[in-house]
Every structure is written in C-alpha cells, then in structure tokens.
Amino acid sequence: MLSQHLAVLQVVVPLICAPLCALLPLAKPGNKLGNNLAWLLATLVSLTTFIIALLLTKEVSLHGVISYQLGGWAPPWGIEYRIDHLSVYVLLIVSAIASITMLAARKSVEQEIAHEKISLFYSAFLLCLTGLLGIVATGDAFNIFVFLEISSLSSYALIALGNNRKALTASYQYLIMGTIGATFILIGVGLLYMLTGTLNIVDLQARVPELLSSRTLHAAFAFFTVGISLKLALLPLHLWLPNAYAYAPSMITVFLSATATKVSLYVLFRFFFGLFSNEITFEEFQLDKILLPLSILAILIASSVAIFQDNIKRMLAYSSVAQIGYMTLGISLATKSGSIAGMLHLFNHALIKGGLFLAMACIVLRTGSVQLKNFAGLGKRMPWTMAAILLLGLGLIGVPSTAGFISKWYLLIAALEQNNWLAAAVIVGGSLLAIIYIWKIVEYAYLKSPTRQSDKYFNERIEAPLQMLIPLWLLVAANFYFGLKTSFSYGFAETAINNLFL
Amino acid sequence: MTELLQHFELAIVIPLLGSLLVLLFHNYPQLREATSIFVAVILFIFTAQFIGSENQDISHTLFTITPGLSLAFHIEPLGLMFALLASSLWIITTVYSIGYMRGNKENNQTRFYLFFALSIAATMGIAFAANLATLFIFYEALTLCTFPLVTHKQNADAQSGGRTYLGILLGTSIVFFLTAIVITWLQAGSLNFIPGGILQGNIEKTGAIILFTLFMFGIGKAALMPFHRWLPAAMVAPTPVSALLHAVAVVKAGVFSVLKVTVYIFGIDFVTTQNASTWILWIAVATMLISSVIALSKDNFKARLAYSTISQLSYIVIGAALASPLAALGGALHIVTHAFGKITLFFCAGAVYTATKFTQISQFDGLGRHMPFTFSAYLVATISIIGLPPFVGSWSKWFLVEGSINTENYLVLIAFGVSTLLNCAYLLPIALRAFFKAPGNEINDWAPGIKEAPLACVVPLCITALATLVMFFFIQPIYEFLAPVFIK
C-alpha cells in the first residue's frame, strides 16, 4: 500500500518533519533536551529517506521507471514524479550523506551553533534535504525550479549560521549568485513553456526536436547552461563556492559539498540529456565545445589555487571546484562512456569529499580551527581522524583500490577512446596537483611537532568522539569498498546513461 | 594444509600478519624483533617451496574490480626469483636492522618494523602479479608504505627528501604508467602478462614507441634520468631501509616491472621488429654514464652509493631495451647479482655510521684498520659490482655484453666498458683510502684495535659478501631457472 507512494514520501517526509523540528514542544530556546530531540528527529528522518531511497532503488532495478502522479492528475497536465536509474542513483547519495551528516552532527552543532537556534538549524537542514530530494524526484521542469529554491534558500540560512562573521558575506555572495542562477533556469523553463505549453520533461523531450529552428529554444538552452553552471560552480562561475564552504558550519559543509553541486550536476544531466537529448545538446548546440575548455581550466586553475590555501576547508572547497571539472570533463567528451565516467565520479567524489569535510568537522570540534598550522602534530593527537584524512586523500589523488581511482580510470579510458590526449593529460595532471595539496596536510600532521603556543594541552591526545569517528570511517570504508567493487557504482551509472542517451 | 600451501598469494598475507604481530608486541622490543625475524624466515621457506612449479602456469584470480581491473596472481620464473631474492634478503636485513636501530638508538622502532613488513607485502604483490592492474596496485602501495620509512627521522631533511621521493614516484606512475596501462587496455583488450606479449598486431609502430617510452618513464622506480632524483632523496632513511628497499626491493621492483612489461606485454620479438626501444636504450645508456660521473663527485657515502645504484639499474633497463633474449636474461640476472653486491655496500655504510657516525668518504682515511671485517666485505662487494671474477657480478655483465655484441650495438658495448672503468673509479678508492691511507685527524688519537659495529651489523654484511663469492660458482641453476622466460 505504502510502497506505491514511495516516490512522493521521499520528499514529503522531510518536508513535514522540517517544521515539526522547530515546533517540538521542548524546542524552546536553549533547552538542551529539546535540542537533542530536534537532532534525533532530523536523524531519524534522514535515515528514513535513505531507507526509502533504497526501496526505490530495488523497485527501479526490478521494474524500471516509476511514474507517480501527484493528486491523481495524469501527466502532462499534473505534476509527475518520475524515478529512473539516474534519479535513484542521486537520491541514494543525497540521502546517505544526509544520514551520515546527521549521525555525526550533534556535538559539532552544539559547539558551533547558538543554542537557541539549534532546533531551527535542524529544521532548515531538513528543508534543504527536501529541496535536494525533490529536484531529483520530480519529472516536472517548473517543479525542479521550486525545489531548487527551497534547497537554496535554506542553504543560504544555514551557511549564514557559521560562527565566523565572514559567513554572512559568504552567504550573501551565494545568495546573489544562486538567485541569478535560479532565475536563469526559471527563464529557461518559461521560454520552453511559452514554446510548447508543457512543463513535463518527458513531454518536452518529445516536442523539442520540432522546434530546433526556433531562436527562443536556443535562448532557453543558453539560459539553462548559464543557470546550471552557476549552481554547479563550474569555473568561472564558481566564486560563491569557496567562501560558502569555508565559513559554513562544519556539518553544513559536509552535507552541501557532497550533495548540492551533485544535484546541480543531476539537473544538467536531466535537462541536457533528458529534456533536450544528447544529439541536440552535442550536435545542434555543441555544448561540448564550451564545456571542455571550461572543465580543463577548472581542473588546472582550481587545483593550483587549492595548493596555496592555508585554511584547509577552503583548500578542499577549491578542490571541489576542480573535481566538478572532472565530472563536466567526462560529459564534454560527448560520448556515453564519458558521461558514465562523469556520473561515476559524482558518486565517488561525494563519498570522498563528504568524508574529508567530516574529518574537518572533527578537527574544528577539537582544536577550533582548520588553519594549516593547527595540523602540526595532529597525526599523534588525533590518529584516527588523521588516518581517515590520509586514506580519503589518497582517494582524491586516485591511488588504485580507492573509489577515486575508479573514476580516473574510466575518465582516462573515455578520453583516450576519443584520442583526446589533452583531456587525458589534464586528468592525470590534476592528480599531481592533488598530491601536492593533500601532502601539505599530511606533512604537517605527521612530520611536524605541535607548537606550544597553539594551545596549552598541546601534546595530549584529543581524538574526536566515537559519534563522529564512526560515520567518518563508514565513508572511508565506502571509499575502499567502491574502489574494489564497482558493480553498483559503475553498473547503475552505466544503465542510467544508457537509458538517458539516444 | 597442503592445499593451503598451494595458495602462493599467502606470500602477501604472511608479512601482513607479521606487521600485525609487530604492532601487537610494540611494548616488548625483544619479542617484536624476534617476530620480525621469524616472519621473514617463514616467508622465505614459503616462497622457496614453489621452486619447481614456476613453469606450470599456475594462476589465481581473486576478484574482478571492473572489466580490465582484476586482482590476479601467477607464478613464473622472473617473479619467483624476485620474491625469493626479496624474502631471503629480508631475513638478513632484519638481523642487521636490530643491530643498527639499537646501536643508533632510533625512535619509533615499532613503526619502522611495521612499515618494513608492509613494504615486503607490497613487494610480494608485485612479484606475483599476473596482470598490469595488479602490478600497478602494489607498485603504488609500495611507494606509500615506504614513505614513512624514508621520513623516519621526521626532521626537515626527511620532509624534503620525502617530498621528492613521493612526488616523483607517485607523479611518474600516475602520469605515465597509468596512461600507458589504459592505452594497453584500449589497444589490446587485456592487461594479462602472457609469454610473447599481448600487443603484437594491436598497435602500430609509432604507437609502440610512444607506449614503450611511457612505460619506461612511468616505472619511476627504475630511476631512468630525468626521473632519478627520488633515489638520492630516499637516502635520508635509516640505512637498513636504504639497503633492502633502495638497493633491492623498491628499485628492483622497478626494473622487474620493466622486464615484465618488455617480456610479457610487448614480447621481445615485437620490441625488436618495431624498434620500440631505441630511444629508451640511449636514455638508459646516458643515465648509466652520467650517474656514474655524478657518483664520482659525491663525498657522502650513501649518496655515492645511490648514484651507483641508478647507474646499475640502467644496466638492467639496457638489458630490456637491447631486446635480445640474452641481454634481457643478463638484465634479469643483474637484478640478483647487483642486489647482493649493493646490499653489502649499504650494510657497510650503516656499519661505519653505527660505529663512528662518519658519513663522508673523506673521513674514512685509515678506518680499515679499525673495521677490517666491514671494509673487507666492502672490497669483495665492490669487485663483484665492477664485474670481475670470481664474484657473481661478472656473470650478469657477461651476458649483457654478449647481448650487446649479438645485436651489434657496439656503442653500447663501449658504454659498458666506460661504465666499468667509472665503477672502479668511484668505488675502489673508498676501500683503498680505508686500508692504505694514514689515519685522518678524526681517528688519529684512537687506540689501535678493532672498533667494529655491533655483531648484528657485521655478521649480515659478511654473509652477503660471501654470497657474492659463492654464487659465482653456482650460477648455472639460476641461469637455467630464468632461461625459459627469455630463450625459447
């Protein structure tokens, strides 16, 4: 009975629980029990969404696409939720990362967020989760915009909660850039609606090919490209990302870094290969011609900038911009194998970067800052956290047997299949740059001794609590699991792209 | 039980278990070191029981990660030889390490033995890898496992040495080696090591040249110029590490991979017909000569030995690049013969350091009278490396020279001659200085008499020096063991 409604429950459950979090009877300002209850609710909701995503995955792999009609209105008139391989792949990542984040969040949030705002924090988090899941679940172009705004508005609020005052400007910057991006997408949707009179993506796909000569369609495509690129933080539209990630509360960085840009990439896949088709996107509009140079620049420039950062959260943020470049590089090869590799990297990078930022949260909790000089001697003081950083860092570099290596492997294959030597060189060159910035942390943590000035217990062990270490090491384990067994991560990406491409 | 012993992959598991035990006994140094030796002996016995089954074509696939990437192991003569070499010298090095680490009162000894065992595990993985993907996984693992050993001292020198070490080894492997592997996979549709190669007919001439070059530079552990700087940089490590890893396991893993790729991926015939190795041949010759000249200029003992190693590694790459069965066989033999010679030299360097704290060659005047055993062993190993009978080093040089004559590469022949002279010039004076020069200022006021390093240091280096002599007379079995790989 309930199983028919899984598609909508995926979105509705967090949506309903978000206000509950703020309205909990005990959730009065400063009430510790109330705060803990809010945390518990948010955690349970996140886990529920993960279970729903798993059930949907099973359903999709057994019976194919799920189409759910909201309110019983048949598409294309009513809003349709459409869950296919591509959607469950991303739904799984988003809900899994949300669960991991919430499991680890309690202590970090208690420390970083003013006590009277904690229940509101969890409420905003659930709204953000709702938005991200909604974008992926819906099959309606306008609905995508709606959820995009829900997730964006809540993330502006969440970022602004960061306890550094720069969080406010970071959030403002993101607000401006994000709103421009969303508006562009909205204009794109509007133009398409004007042309076709429909908002359903499947329906749109059937109507678009006839309109290829229309200038309006070209304009719509252009608006989409810019809007999505902004949301995706594709260089040179990435300027909002480093500050937002660096100054947001630690747990929000974990969540957003592993989900927000990934969902934007999903929108790219959905619009350019689902709404338009790969033939139109590559042959008519030649998206690859602009995406390829931008991706290459993203990898090279962002990785190089990352090397010179002393704030490690900022360093990892720049690294994220570079890694997004890898994903779009895969897409810009204009082949199936390229897009599969991009998709796969979306998955693997979410695990790796989520884990790295979670480790940063541990370090903030214990030492109060993620400045590079603070890492001196951490190898001895926080052995488990640092070991996790090292292992996840190897994943980022792409050392074999990690998930990151699998992405690089498929990206390289995709590039060399096309004899695109430049792309291949950039893929491996980017790894070199990653070695440099990851090893900067490793050297500080393992080869430098802690300085007495940094804090008075400079030599004591200050390992993070198990509550955070266990989720962290779950991600480390996943990094190796998906590096050694690719039947799910690659298999699903392959089916998703095969279904999507003509 | 006997069934279990057939699983030669256990050669990787044994040192892994050993490392766990080392960790477990970290509070009991005696027990910890005893375990290390015990595990080393077990590993040697275990690998030795596979002698005789190297040509039976045994292979196991553990699991497939994704098409093209599968974890698979096999036994073939070259790999078994490498495994035997590394595991036998591991026993001797462990004994030596005990003397050295205690004699110098080094810190963090548990970490040292732990990563030593892990490095050996990775080496075993390389030795038994049945395809390029498996080889690559363990190749990278070896780089990472040796990093904590290189940076053991954790000071500024160790940090900068470690940077060069990791940067060059990881960098070349990701940029060139991985690219070469992906190209091989796309062209041949397989990464398996097959006698005769898998590329024949799958790649055209220029492609073969580019691919071979990518492989040779990608395998940075073979230390071809200009990617050789990591080896001198690695000398900041404690001497047992330099001895086993940077004269045997790590660098030999490099040239071993070079031979594997030449023989089992390209096939010697294919390399010859496509002239795929011409460029690499000259780069290796240049490396051999230039690094010898640099060695001449080094006053630091270990640095001189490091450049000597770079030059000797190029002998093996030349053996592969000459693309004649005999030369390649000479290269394979050189892996063994050079290992025994060079490990002795490093043991001597460590023994001198433990006994006197001397690191510069100019300090050695007259030291031979105080350390007669060390410097006698040094002299023996030197002569073996130069390639004079009755020491084992002469055999591998013999085959290499014969290979260069067979392929009519007379320039290479001349280069071998020049290199031998250079060997004499940079290795012999050290022994002469120690034995015949008047004592220098620093040891002038020492009382006459023997002042050797601890017994645990001196005995191993005498054993390896003796081995170079003994093996000279027993080269036939090694030759017959390796010959099937190269000569049909």
Side-chain angles (χ1 to χ4, degrees):
Chain A
M1 205 330 258
L2 209 59
S3 66
Q4 300 164 3
H5 299 289
L6 281 176
V8 73
L9 282 176
Q10 178 82 89
V11 184
V12 167
V13 171
L15 181 64
I16 291 178
C17 293
L20 277 186
C21 244
L23 297 173
L24 275 175
L26 288 167
K28 301 212 176 65
N31 186 327
K32 197 158 185 208
L33 182 65
N35 290 340
N36 283 344
L37 271 181
W39 167 73
L40 192 67
L41 183 63
T43 311
L44 288 177
V45 170
S46 306
L47 287 170
T48 312
T49 58
F50 181 54
I51 292 166
I52 295 175
L54 280 176
L55 291 172
L56 282 172
T57 311
K58 198 177 143 211
E59 192 69 18
V60 167
S61 47
L62 286 179
H63 306 298
V65 181
I66 302 170
S67 169
Y68 182 89
Q69 299 163 13
L70 233 59
W73 292 86
W77 296 281
I79 290 175
E80 180 197 21
Y81 276 20
R82 215 180 146 78
I83 314 282
D84 56 10
H85 277 83
L86 180 68
S87 332
V88 286
Y89 197 67
V90 181
L91 285 177
L92 265 182
I93 300 169
V94 173
S95 58
I97 295 288
S99 309
I100 296 258
T101 311
M102 278 300 105
L103 283 173
R106 198 174 63 91
K107 290 207 167 165
S108 169
V109 170
E110 242 169 45
Q111 189 203 39
E112 288 181 31
I113 309 291
H115 279 211
E116 65 274 16
K117 288 186 185 148
I118 286 184
S119 56
L120 297 175
F121 171 89
Y122 287 117
S123 170
F125 173 83
L126 285 182
L127 274 180
C128 186
L129 178 62
T130 307
L132 293 174
L133 292 172
I135 295 171
V136 185
T138 188
D140 184 281
F142 182 74
N143 214 220
I144 285 185
F145 164 74
V146 173
F147 281 120
L148 196 64
E149 281 298 39
I150 293 181
S151 73
S152 302
L153 289 172
S154 44
S155 47
Y156 305 144
L158 286 168
I159 290 169
L161 282 174
N163 53 12
N164 189 322
R165 286 185 56 183
K166 286 182 189 159
L168 292 175
T169 44
S171 171
Y172 183 72
Q173 213 175 3
Y174 185 22
L175 171 77
I176 300 295
M177 303 273 273
T179 307
I180 295 174
T183 311
F184 271 48
I185 292 174
L186 181 64
I187 295 173
V189 173
L191 291 174
L192 280 182
Y193 185 62
M194 196 178 87
L195 279 173
T196 62
T198 180
L199 289 168
N200 184 291
I201 291 179
V202 179
D203 200 30
L204 275 167
Q205 184 175 24
R207 291 164 197 271
V208 160
E210 303 159 14
L211 301 165
L212 278 183
S213 53
S214 152
R215 287 231 171 147
T216 318
L217 189 78
H218 288 235
F221 190 93
F223 274 111
F224 277 140
T225 310
V226 178
I228 294 173
S229 301
L230 258 166
K231 282 291 186 187
L232 188 65
L234 179 65
L235 194 114
L237 303 175
H238 67 285
L239 293 171
W240 59 270
L241 187 142
N243 282 335
Y245 282 13
Y247 300 116
S250 306
M251 279 302 158
I252 292 311
T253 314
V254 176
F255 182 63
L256 290 183
S257 72
T259 56
T261 47
K262 310 294 179 283
V263 168
S264 308
L265 197 74
Y266 163 87
V267 176
L268 186 152
F269 274 108
R270 184 58 79 199
F271 275 1
F272 291 157
F273 307 131
L275 198 161
F276 301 93
S277 68
N278 54 311
E279 279 173 8
I280 295 176
T281 300
F282 291 133
E283 279 160 32
E284 184 68 23
F285 293 129
Q286 308 211 327
L287 182 70
D288 46 329
K289 299 277 188 305
I290 180 157
L291 215 50
L292 183 70
L294 288 181
S295 308
I296 288 175
L297 288 177
I299 295 173
L300 297 180
I301 295 178
S303 301
S304 312
V305 175
I307 293 172
F308 297 102
Q309 302 301 317
D310 279 335
N311 179 325
I312 303 300
K313 271 174 87 175
R314 230 176 125 83
M315 169 197 284
L316 293 174
Y318 274 107
S319 151
S320 278
V321 177
Q323 301 294 325
I324 290 161
Y326 278 109
M327 298 168 210
T328 50
L329 180 68
I331 297 168
S332 70
L333 292 168
T335 57
K336 261 187 194 173
S337 54
S339 283
I340 295 170
M343 195 79 211
L344 184 66
H345 194 49
L346 178 160
F347 183 89
N348 292 333
H349 178 249
L351 299 174
I352 296 171
K353 201 44 84 53
L356 279 170
F357 276 118
L358 186 50
M360 292 308 132
C362 295
I363 289 172
V364 171
L365 182 74
R366 285 305 192 222
T367 72
S369 128
V370 286
Q371 287 299 321
L372 187 59
K373 66 175 185 335
N374 239 29
F375 279 73
L378 275 194
K380 274 231 153 61
R381 302 179 74 200
M382 304 180 73
W384 289 98
T385 310
M386 269 319 300
I389 293 179
L390 176 60
L391 292 174
L392 291 163
L394 293 180
L396 204 59
I397 294 168
V399 170
S401 81
T402 62
F405 176 70
I406 303 293
S407 316
K408 300 264 157 80
W409 173 259
Y410 278 109
L411 280 168
L412 262 183
I413 287 186
L416 289 172
E417 263 176 5
Q418 300 294 104
N419 281 326
N420 195 332
W421 287 82
L422 175 67
V426 170
I427 292 166
V428 291
S431 291
L432 290 191
L433 297 170
I435 297 178
I436 300 178
Y437 59 75
I438 290 297
W439 229 255
K440 245 172 83 168
I441 311 177
V442 172
E443 277 182 357
Y444 259 84
Y446 288 103
L447 297 179
K448 285 210 191 315
S449 24
T451 42
R452 188 175 284 273
Q453 294 88 336
S454 59
D455 65 89
K456 63 180 172 182
Y457 309 109
F458 72 101
N459 236 342
E460 278 171 28
R461 233 177 115 122
I462 45 166
E463 190 50 272
L466 272 183
Q467 238 178 43
M468 297 176 85
L469 280 183
I470 291 171
L472 174 59
W473 278 84
L474 275 177
L475 288 174
V476 175
N479 177 26
F480 282 92
Y481 177 81
F482 290 109
L484 293 172
K485 196 159 167 27
T486 56
S487 50
F488 173 75
S489 57
Y490 181 74
F492 242 73
E494 192 183 21
T495 324
I497 298 297
N498 277 338
N499 292 344
L500 208 57
F501 271 46
L502 294 178
Chain B
M1 189 62 197
T2 43
E3 198 144 296
L4 192 67
L5 287 179
Q6 291 308 307
H7 284 274
F8 54 89
E9 303 93 310
L10 282 178
I12 304 163
V13 180
I14 292 170
L16 280 182
L17 288 178
S19 65
L20 279 182
L21 288 176
V22 164
L23 206 57
L24 205 63
F25 297 143
H26 68 102
N27 280 331
Y28 311 95
Q30 308 287 355
L31 198 55
R32 179 186 65 200
E33 267 93 307
T35 320
S36 289
I37 296 182
F38 178 70
V39 174
V41 172
I42 296 277
L43 179 66
F44 177 67
I45 296 172
F46 180 77
T47 39
Q49 59 146 346
F50 290 104
I51 298 175
S53 46
E54 72 272 6
N55 290 318
Q56 287 169 11
D57 198 22
I58 311 171
S59 68
H60 299 151
T61 303
L62 287 194
F63 61 92
T64 304
I65 300 172
T66 199
L69 294 176
S70 64
L71 211 59
F73 300 98
H74 71 167
I75 292 191
E76 48 82 45
L78 209 54
L80 189 56
M81 174 210 74
F82 182 44
L84 281 169
L85 178 72
S87 58
S88 61
L89 288 176
W90 187 29
I91 306 175
I92 301 176
T93 311
T94 311
V95 177
Y96 180 84
S97 302
I98 297 171
Y100 180 91
M101 298 300 279
R102 293 188 177 184
N104 288 306
K105 301 190 178 60
E106 295 273 351
N107 297 322
N108 297 315
Q109 294 196 18
T110 300
R111 186 181 68 200
F112 175 85
Y113 289 107
L114 172 73
F115 281 100
F116 220 113
L118 288 177
S119 305
I120 297 294
T123 310
M124 291 297 135
I126 294 174
F128 290 117
N131 58 39
L132 270 174
T134 312
L135 181 84
F136 185 64
I137 291 174
F138 286 101
Y139 181 95
E140 298 289 55
L142 184 57
T143 308
L144 295 168
C145 291
T146 45
F147 180 78
L149 295 171
V150 171
T151 54
H152 185 85
K153 288 207 161 76
Q154 289 180 286
N155 53 21
D157 281 348
Q159 183 178 340
S160 74
R163 259 184 210 176
T164 317
Y165 184 77
L166 197 89
I168 294 183
L169 286 185
L170 269 190
T172 51
S173 70
I174 290 177
V175 174
F176 303 123
F177 200 8
L178 180 60
T179 313
I181 292 173
V182 172
I183 295 173
T184 309
W185 166 246
L186 287 176
Q187 298 297 331
S190 158
L191 293 176
N192 291 336
F193 292 129
I194 309 267
I198 55 172
L199 282 170
Q200 182 109 47
N202 288 321
I203 195 165
E204 88 293 12
K205 196 170 170 121
T206 20
I209 295 173
I210 294 172
L211 190 59
F212 194 80
T213 313
L214 279 177
F215 268 120
M216 294 304 127
F217 282 131
I219 302 171
K221 292 195 168 101
L224 274 187
M225 279 182 181
F227 300 110
H228 66 286
R229 290 285 306 278
W230 65 271
L231 189 55
M235 291 300 135
V236 295
T239 306
V241 175
S242 311
L244 183 60
L245 297 175
H246 300 120
V248 183
V250 173
V251 291
K252 296 295 150 59
V255 284
F256 169 74
S257 309
V258 165
L259 284 173
K260 273 265 207 193
V261 167
T262 313
V263 176
Y264 294 119
I265 295 294
F266 281 82
I268 292 180
D269 293 341
F270 186 59
V271 175
T272 319
T273 53
Q274 305 292 310
N275 282 329
S277 60
T278 318
W279 287 96
I280 289 299
L281 180 63
W282 296 117
I283 288 167
V285 167
T287 307
M288 175 173 81
L289 296 176
I290 296 171
S291 61
S292 296
V293 174
I294 297 175
L296 268 177
S297 72
K298 293 287 173 189
D299 188 36
N300 183 301
F301 195 10
K302 280 174 80 178
R304 187 176 287 194
L305 292 181
Y307 277 99
S308 157
T309 304
I310 296 172
S311 135
Q312 298 288 324
L313 291 173
S314 282
Y315 278 68
I316 301 163
V317 179
I318 292 172
L322 279 172
S324 94
L326 218 51
L329 178 63
L333 271 180
H334 203 63
I335 291 184
V336 181
T337 61
H338 173 250
F340 279 90
K342 194 46 78 52
I343 201 170
T344 312
L345 297 189
F346 273 109
F347 280 168
C348 292
V352 170
Y353 178 73
T354 311
T356 65
K357 299 286 166 212
F358 290 167
T359 53
Q360 306 298 323
I361 293 162
S362 50
Q363 297 171 303
F364 290 4
D365 292 357
L367 200 55
R369 283 164 230 176
H370 297 284
M371 307 186 71
F373 291 103
T374 303
F375 278 98
S376 307
Y378 177 86
L379 192 61
V380 168
T382 298
I383 298 173
S384 174
I385 286 185
I386 292 168
L388 296 176
F391 298 102
V392 72
S394 52
W395 286 116
S396 47
K397 268 207 179 158
W398 173 270
F399 286 115
L400 284 168
V401 165
E402 207 177 326
S404 66
I405 297 173
N406 279 353
T407 52
E408 297 177 355
N409 272 307
Y410 296 113
L411 274 174
V412 177
L413 182 68
I414 294 169
F416 275 139
V418 175
S419 168
T420 305
L421 288 178
L422 284 166
N423 282 344
C424 299
Y426 64 76
L427 286 176
L428 275 180
I430 301 173
L432 300 180
R433 204 180 249 278
F435 280 124
F436 300 117
K437 272 213 170 178
N441 290 335
E442 281 167 271
I443 58 175
N444 216 358
D445 45 351
W446 287 8
I450 289 178
K451 191 177 186 290
E452 285 276 8
L455 219 53
C457 287
V458 180
V459 173
L461 63 88
C462 291
I463 293 177
T464 48
L466 264 183
T468 60
L469 176 64
V470 174
M471 282 165 68
F472 176 79
F473 300 103
F474 296 97
I475 198 69
Q476 186 69 13
I478 305 177
Y479 173 83
E480 279 167 10
F481 183 82
L482 286 174
V485 179
F486 304 99
I487 300 162
K488 283 165 214 102

